[in-house]
Amino acid sequence: MVLKSFAYEALPMRVRFGSGSVSVLAEEIAHLGLRRVLVVCSPGQVRTGELVGAALGELSAGILAEARMHVPLSVANRARDRAAELGADGCVVVGGGSAIGLGKAVALEHGLPVVAVPTTYAGSEMTTVWGLTGDGVKRTGKDPRVLPASVLYDPDLTVGLPVPVSVTSGINAMAHAVEALYAPDASPIVSLLAEEGTQEMVAALPAIVRNPRDVEARTRALYGAWLCGACLGATTMSLHHKLCHVLGGTLDLPHSPTHAVVLPHALAYNQAAAPAAAEALSRALGEPDPARALWDLAGRLEAPRSLADLGMREADIEPIAERVVANPYANPAPITREGVVRLLRHAWAGQAPASDC
């Protein structure tokens, strides 16, 4: 193998992985020198948030169960005010991308360290990326202040994750790996993480569908999510993530189901222009056409495959395409308005991915 020049920057964080890891959360908080942390979660994760708050005892400043998809500015402002009011010196975020995103918003404003306890496979805990949505537009950026200082991966906390959420969250994780393989700042290190992360997720998700309480499958999925999230944190994302950010921020479509629908189509758009990435994904998926393999896998797992089913109108296709192509960004295949419109039409209708976009 001939290696090209590359750069790789390891992000500074601690990771605790394994069944029962949440039991050492207070120890992790003390290790970071924190004394009063705000527990952040979504309304649907209140019970888990209360469990974490009880485990922290006097270290807990309180629980804020207001996290929402795409981190609306109004919610972020309330969280920032609450953290300041309670005199919190850190945040413990419990849940998926919504909770972690809200914790990052607090960190961005107040510089408070974040400890993440992921209960889905979204991967945001591995990145310096933040996102805030206001006036129908989702803005994203990167800032080292929002990177969690510590991440605790406890598969036991994912056993109750509903199967449909597990599936779409897992496909969302694979999207990070897919785009990392053809990113402009890809490296051999990240490519190894991406291929193994995809393999683990592809193996785990069907087992979770068969038996949601299969701890071994949950452990493999969470391990795969960690690797895929690390890819997201180390590289620049391309067309797939741009599409999902615009669809989510503009139309308020559900985050991980949108990723599940769009991924095969975005990969089909790019895979001819990224042969090394396609080869790695073929190995991971065990199929010669990775885009079609992902679409077929979504069908077998009963994941959504149509943007129309998620609430997008056909009349939204052209305006979304305009927004996507308005700002140039790195992508293996040239991004054209006509190509993005064709991609969106296939994804909207629930058709199989086409490589002629």
Side-chain angles (χ1 to χ4, degrees):
M1 179 177 68
V2 178
L3 287 177
K4 298 180 180 178
S5 298
F6 65 91
Y8 173 74
E9 183 175 349
L11 297 177
M13 65 163 62
R14 283 166 55 88
V15 173
R16 303 286 290 262
F17 186 98
S19 181
S21 293
V22 74
S23 65
V24 299
L25 178 57
E27 176 186 322
E28 202 66 17
I29 296 297
H31 173 82
L32 295 171
L34 304 178
R35 294 184 173 85
R36 188 172 174 80
V37 294
L38 176 65
V39 178
V40 174
C41 62
S42 66
Q45 289 278 357
V46 171
R47 289 183 63 185
T48 306
E50 290 175 344
L51 176 70
V52 167
L56 289 172
E58 294 182 355
L59 292 172
S60 174
I63 299 171
L64 183 74
E66 296 187 20
R68 282 183 52 200
M69 282 191 312
H70 310 304
V71 195
L73 272 171
S74 58
V75 176
N77 289 334
R78 284 200 301 275
R80 291 163 173 170
D81 291 345
R82 187 62 174 156
E85 175 188 322
L86 293 172
D89 61 0
C91 285
V92 172
V93 293
V94 183
S98 298
I100 293 167
L102 185 54
K104 286 180 171 183
V106 176
L108 194 65
E109 177 75 11
H110 297 301
L112 301 185
V114 172
V115 176
V117 184
T119 61
T120 73
Y121 309 130
S124 176
E125 68 279 357
M126 283 286 118
T127 81
T128 61
V129 177
W130 57 267
L132 290 167
T133 301
D135 298 323
V137 177
K138 185 170 184 177
R139 295 183 300 109
T140 61
K142 290 187 174 184
D143 193 305
R145 291 178 297 173
V146 308
L147 181 72
S150 181
V151 180
L152 277 73
Y153 287 108
D154 190 336
D156 297 346
L157 297 181
T158 67
V159 168
L161 190 65
V163 166
V165 180
S166 301
V167 168
T168 57
S169 181
I171 297 174
N172 181 11
M174 285 193 282
H176 310 328
V178 167
E179 294 225 295
L181 283 166
Y182 53 62
D185 46 2
S187 72
I189 308 302
V190 173
S191 295
L192 288 170
L193 296 175
E195 188 171 339
E196 181 161 352
T198 302
Q199 285 178 328
E200 290 296 315
M201 199 61 76
V202 168
L205 291 180
I208 289 170
V209 170
R210 290 192 297 269
N211 177 12
R213 304 196 70 80
D214 183 337
V215 176
E216 181 180 350
R218 291 289 186 180
T219 301
R220 293 190 71 176
L222 200 58
Y223 173 64
W226 173 14
L227 299 183
C228 292
C231 295
L232 177 65
T235 56
T236 303
M237 297 290 104
S238 301
L239 175 62
H240 169 83
H241 282 77
K242 178 68 172 183
L243 280 165
C244 292
H245 284 161
V246 174
L247 287 164
T250 306
L251 305 178
D252 199 31
L253 299 189
H255 184 76
S256 63
T258 301
H259 278 268
V261 173
V262 170
L263 180 59
H265 300 278
L267 178 56
Y269 191 106
N270 280 320
Q271 66 185 16
E279 184 179 344
L281 291 168
S282 292
R283 290 193 299 267
L285 296 163
E287 297 289 343
D289 183 345
R292 182 58 189 248
L294 284 172
W295 193 77
D296 290 341
L297 176 66
R300 291 196 301 274
L301 299 176
E302 299 186 357
R305 294 198 293 186
S306 161
L307 290 175
D309 290 345
L310 300 184
M312 182 183 182
R313 302 171 304 152
E314 187 172 10
D316 293 323
I317 291 174
E318 299 272 354
I320 291 295
E322 291 286 354
R323 290 200 177 198
V324 167
V325 302
N327 297 308
Y329 47 91
N331 194 69
I335 295 176
T336 66
R337 182 184 176 281
E338 295 75 15
V340 172
V341 167
R342 285 197 296 271
L343 184 162
L344 286 170
R345 289 198 183 282
H346 280 88
W348 180 83
Q351 297 172 342
S355 57
D356 62 348
C357 293

